[in-house]
Amino acid sequence: MNFLLPIIENIKPLDEEWFKFAEAKQQQLTKPPGSLGRLEEIACRLSAIQKTLHPTVEKRRIVIFAADHGVASEGVSAYPSEVTAQMVANFYSGGAAINAISKTVNAELHVVDIGVASNIPIGNIEDNSNIRLINHKIRSGTNNMTYGPAMTESDLCMSLQTGLEIAQQAKEDGVTLIGLGEMGIGNTTAATAITAALTDLPPNQITGRGTGADDTTYKRKIEVIERSLKVNSPNKNDGLDVLRKVGGLEIAGLCGLCLGAAASGIAIVTDGFIATSAAAIAVRVCPTLASYIFASHLSQEPGHAALLNLIGLEPLLDLKMRLGEGTGAALAVGIIAASVAVFNEMATFKDAGVKDSEKILPA
Amino acid sequence: MNFLLPIIENIKPLDEEWFKFAEAKQQQLTKPPGSLGRLEEIACRLSAIQKTLHPTVEKRRIVIFAADHGVASEGVSAYPSEVTAQMVANFYSGGAAINAISKTVNAELHVVDIGVASNIPIGNIEDNSNIRLINHKIRSGTNNMTYGPAMTESDLCMSLQTGLEIAQQAKEDGVTLIGLGEMGIGNTTAATAITAALTDLPPNQITGRGTGADDTTYKRKIEVIERSLKVNSPNKNDGLDVLRKVGGLEIAGLCGLCLGAAASGIAIVTDGFIATSAAAIAVRVCPTLASYIFASHLSQEPGHAALLNLIGLEPLLDLKMRLGEGTGAALAVGIIAASVAVFNEMATFKDAGVKDSEKILPA
């Protein structure tokens, strides 16, 4: 994947000087030092990413990659593959959870069909200006990874390039914060296989029920993940090998988006388990990228904590969610926006005529 | 406090039927059952409070009560009392953290001077339409509680009535969600004394550093709280006795606001330690009230977890904050708004033509 090399080279370590400038600015704002907790760190990190003391997340976008999974035919999900296409239509018509939540935080919503297998039933839906549906279909879902790699080299390459293109478009549109979203029946199976490969944790410890698998489905899911890993022997030190063999088209698209966003100085906010598996692959490919990521929430999927731990990120929220679609990312966008508003809009002790504590220690 | 009796009588238990209707509606929305975690419970609770399947938090308001504390003269805070007035002026001019955060969640901001001791230096500040400053000053701060009760019966009565009036005004204005906020140098000392009285926990286990007390101040603070409790012997079973003896004017105002809001069917979102101490007193006075409260965040103040535990509420956020002003409440308003948006705007499986899992269990 030589085309990634210039991208990776452009992902610079966080600018420590700007981070320190931002920390110094935080000390001058009319609040006891450190009293806004994690909100303070968020603004400092955005300052370092954007190299400014007036960071902006005004233009924020949730990007959902949607694709199907060959492995779904093994019966690993509570829903059939065609629900992927139906949910994409639901996004387009504005009826999904992510539509409602992204509106509350003024985030744009882009949905990329990178590999949906069924026809997307949007024939009767009026054009929806609140959401962009982008066709980048590479193929109709992955291969069944229990028989061999989920993707060919060419599939993987095109998926990553799609992600890079979406990042480039975001850059041109002035987006400074991208939330990751995904839709794909069967994709917790892929994400769990990725997690097992990257962390060496056994599948039975990190497999969850996805959208709500019953006991039989759940047991089968673990067995399917174990079989996929055995058949494919992904190389844990080679993130892209793991991605190609046991990943998915939407996960690869998100991975490319992470790399492209960070290379363009765009901050990233993860969603749940699947989006984080994409981010974890991107971090394995380029460890420096981790500084550009904000972890939105801790999913109920048991593998998620292991992935966040691997990347070294602490989630902002823990609301017992497990939906995906970018819903956790969108909620975290609200927190990040608040952190930036505080940093940009608060008065300093001097401006407000408020006594600073250092000058007035009690007798 | 006979005037409270009709209020307390109007605080009805949560309507279980509406809660069940709401749970049934959640099952029909295009998401796996339960996948939005705590967002689902929030919307169900609001449905039960408002007795509708289309709850609204469109009109949301943060109310900050500000007052001074006689006990501040014991040197328990990193800041002097005059900072209370300076911060009220800062709220009015739009320079505080709560101004920035409440704007991001479209919440109105009302600040009630219920007992600020110093002159509020707003002479040169232009009229600010984004915030209402309300003068309800009962007296210039409480008495020093190390010598006797912080408030007289009359102080307490007027503070509670002020809270009830503010709730009534909110009701008339169509507000359906009230966030609690406070400002008062010395008020973590009062809130800690309240917590110790209500929970029987020893002050040295639950005292924190407030706005950032140094070691000497911190030790003195614990000793001052112990002394106040010894001198006043508040009766833990009588919330109002605790409030009057070791509370504060702003805490009493918030307590009255909680009672009035719940009686009017307005949902309440707490802030940090001090606001929660007010809510805990209100719950002791009327246990039914707890169902009307959403706990916003877990503060860094060590006593906060004990208070939340006492009321039986789990905080929505844990962002290591300890600022007060309603900043945690405002952030949680964003989460609550998202929960309501999802509940009101999502399509059902039937409407969206998305297959429901129950009908399509895998073979």
Side-chain angles (χ1 to χ4, degrees), chain B residues 297-349:
Chain B
H297 82 120
L298 179 66
S299 158
Q300 289 288 86
E301 275 292 307
H304 196 204
L307 275 184
L308 290 170
N309 194 39
L310 183 73
I311 318 181
L313 294 173
E314 208 187 326
L316 290 165
L317 301 165
D318 180 3
L319 295 166
K320 317 294 176 208
M321 289 162 57
R322 51 176 171 82
L323 178 57
E325 298 181 2
T327 49
L331 289 175
V333 164
I335 304 291
I336 295 168
S339 144
V340 170
V342 160
F343 191 66
N344 287 335
E345 297 170 24
M346 271 183 81
T348 61
F349 279 102

Side-chain angles (χ1 to χ4, degrees), chain B residues 1-8 157 240:
Chain B
M1 303 286 162
N2 285 335
F3 67 95
L4 286 181
L5 294 178
I7 302 294
I8 293 168
C157 179
L240 298 182

Side-chain angles (χ1 to χ4, degrees), chain A residues 103 119 137 143 146 160 166 177 188 194 197 221 227 297 326 352:
Chain A
K103 240 191 281 173
N119 245 356
K137 203 193 295 277
N143 296 320
T146 61
L160 290 166
I166 299 290
L177 179 63
T188 57
I194 288 173
K221 184 174 172 180
R227 192 143 41 99
H297 81 120

Side-chain angles (χ1 to χ4, degrees), chain A residues 30 32-33 35-38 77-80 86 90 95 103 211 317 319-320 322 342 345-347 355 357 360 362, chain B residues 30 32-33 35 37-38 77-80 86 90 95 101 103 211 317 319-322 342 345-347 355 357 360 362:
Chain A
T30 48
S35 60
L36 279 175
R38 298 191 63 196
S77 173
Y79 294 81
Q86 288 164 354
N90 198 22
K103 240 191 281 173
T211 49
L317 301 164
L319 295 166
K320 317 296 177 206
R322 52 176 171 81
V342 160
E345 296 170 24
M346 272 183 81
K355 288 207 175 178
S357 70
I360 51 85
Chain B
T30 47
S35 60
R38 299 191 63 194
S77 171
Y79 294 80
Q86 289 165 354
N90 197 23
I101 299 179
K103 239 191 283 174
T211 48
L317 301 165
L319 295 166
K320 317 294 176 208
M321 289 162 57
R322 51 176 171 82
V342 160
E345 297 170 24
M346 271 183 81
K355 288 206 177 179
S357 69
I360 51 85

